[in-house]
Amino acid sequence: ANGDRFFQRHAAILGSTGSGKSCAVSLVLERAHARKYANLIVFDIHGEYASLANPPAVDGKSTPAAIACAYKVAGPGDLDSPPKNAIFLPYWLLSREEMLSMILDRSDQNAPNQASRFTLHVRVLKGEMLDKEGKADVKATFTVDSPIPYALDKLLEKLKHDDTEKKKSAVTNKVVKGDWEGKLTRFLSRLEAKVSDRRYGFMFKPPAEALKYDWLAVQMATLLAAPEGKSGIKVVDFSEVPSDVLPVVAGVFARLLYDVQFWMEAEKRTPFVFVCDEAHLYLPVRADADAVEKQALYSFERIAKEGRKYGVSLLVVSQRPSDVSRTILSQCNNFLILRLTNDQDQNVVRRLMPDSLAGVVDGLPLLDTGEAFLLGDAILLPARIKLKLPTIEPLSQTRDFWQ
């Protein structure tokens, strides 16, 4: 298969559980590591690719060399003394819509008031930060969505003031209920519940340096560049991220890196690939997506449609293609399809193929572990192949239940 074509136009690895998907991903990463400028960022949802960065010894033989660098989104136990490889995604990186998708209850009759006060205060606080840093040129063009640090306690203070403020009546001159009094109570309680929960600490309890203006530049350079003398493959462990915010977190992470690449001068861009493991968990079919999942879809669907021009590609990995966004799968031009037994999943694959190849799908339930069909514009003719085992296997081996 032509490696350039495989990654240029997005690719998908699809197969039921136990069909050899994780090993296929590890094998792709191993082959990519042999290239001079490999740059892949793996969304490791279950922590199964940690072995690529810290390989275990193989049955009495020497330990193989690591092919990746390991990072992790900080968990509840990492907040007090974060390890060097811990990643924080502070609340101020989130756009207005991403933040509101987690906190705002759209069915609340006061939702428009809550959204407008939140938006106003965040914009003011970001503006104050720019004044403090002397960034007049940035202040002239910034928006409420710009990734500019602000203090969360100041935001809570302003919202509480709105929620309890009284005013004088223009008619009777008596103290009466304020314009916003009582309208932000539920919004505040939802926000405070998230802030106090240690599981969301990577977002709401970042280290003090994460509130500095130049912190983001250092983080982006770490994630986009290869560490000196190390692999350019980065495995980011999302296993401790609560499932209810996983889509937003994955979406913010991808959007930030894509935006840096988007605005970079063309000759300075190095292409990179997002390996989206377990994509059905955060890139669902749009009709089934809730407010949080839609935020991830906006980011990833944009990359699927436009990323090729800017050197950003997707490798979508899933055991349920019928649950993955149609838009994203429709933009994939290369498929490595392992055993698929579900008829809905097979129908998705059938629709992605030209009519002349529809018969290939009939053989999908019969494939052995590690066997796959490879098709797309990276290969001249569709081929049934047997994948080798990677040198370093992922931490997803099948257990011997009966023994």
Side-chain angles (χ1 to χ4, degrees), residues 21-22 28-29 60 114 125 132 146 152 174 270 302 337:
K21 266 193 326 303
S22 300
V28 169
L29 295 175
Q114 295 164 0
L125 289 168
K132 184 180 161 190
S146 301
L152 190 61
K174 288 182 179 177
T270 299
R302 182 180 164 211
I337 306 167

Side-chain angles (χ1 to χ4, degrees), residues 218-288:
V218 178
Q219 289 292 103
M220 293 298 101
T222 303
L223 291 166
L224 281 173
E228 194 65 41
K230 290 191 176 179
S231 171
I233 298 173
K234 275 82 69 173
V235 174
V236 183
D237 183 348
F238 285 80
S239 60
E240 292 191 60
V241 176
S243 58
D244 60 326
V245 296
L246 175 65
V248 158
V249 175
V252 170
F253 189 83
R255 175 175 61 77
L256 287 168
L257 294 172
Y258 177 67
D259 281 349
V260 172
Q261 187 84 339
F262 180 88
W263 292 106
M264 202 182 287
E265 292 169 32
E267 62 277 6
K268 291 186 179 176
R269 288 188 188 121
T270 299
F272 67 89
V273 179
F274 285 126
V275 181
C276 302
D277 191 39
E278 304 288 4
H280 51 277
L281 295 178
Y282 48 98
L283 301 176
V285 177
R286 185 169 279 279
D288 302 333

Side-chain angles (χ1 to χ4, degrees), residues 94-237:
L94 277 67
S95 69
R96 171 187 177 275
E97 284 300 324
E98 286 163 346
M99 191 76 161
L100 290 176
S101 71
M102 294 192 304
I103 302 161
L104 189 68
D105 179 2
R106 299 276 178 190
S107 64
D108 189 330
Q109 62 180 14
N110 287 312
N113 295 321
Q114 295 164 0
S116 71
R117 297 313 286 170
F118 172 84
T119 305
L120 176 80
H121 294 321
V122 168
R123 190 187 293 117
V124 168
L125 289 168
K126 287 185 174 183
E128 286 173 3
M129 177 58 151
L130 293 173
D131 289 337
K132 184 180 161 190
E133 293 284 332
K135 303 282 182 187
D137 53 336
V138 179
K139 192 172 181 187
T141 56
F142 92 107
T143 69
V144 70
D145 291 336
S146 301
I148 297 160
Y150 64 91
L152 190 61
D153 53 357
K154 286 189 180 176
L155 173 65
L156 286 164
E157 199 178 289
K158 284 176 179 287
L159 290 170
K160 282 176 184 170
H161 179 265
D162 282 347
D163 196 42
T164 54
E165 187 186 19
K166 304 274 186 194
K167 69 174 185 181
K168 277 195 173 182
S169 167
V171 181
T172 62
N173 208 28
K174 288 182 179 177
V175 175
V176 293
K177 204 172 180 181
D179 292 338
W180 313 104
E181 189 178 346
K183 293 181 179 177
L184 309 181
T185 312
R186 289 183 180 179
F187 183 80
L188 266 165
S189 62
R190 283 192 291 269
L191 178 55
E192 286 175 328
K194 283 269 194 292
V195 171
S196 61
D197 190 334
R198 286 182 71 89
R199 292 176 305 158
Y200 305 97
F202 65 90
M203 191 180 286
F204 295 113
K205 289 187 172 71
E209 60 266 22
L211 291 174
K212 293 179 179 169
Y213 185 80
D214 54 359
W215 177 86
L216 181 59
V218 178
Q219 289 292 103
M220 293 298 101
T222 303
L223 291 166
L224 281 173
E228 194 65 41
K230 290 191 176 179
S231 171
I233 298 173
K234 275 82 69 173
V235 174
V236 183
D237 183 348

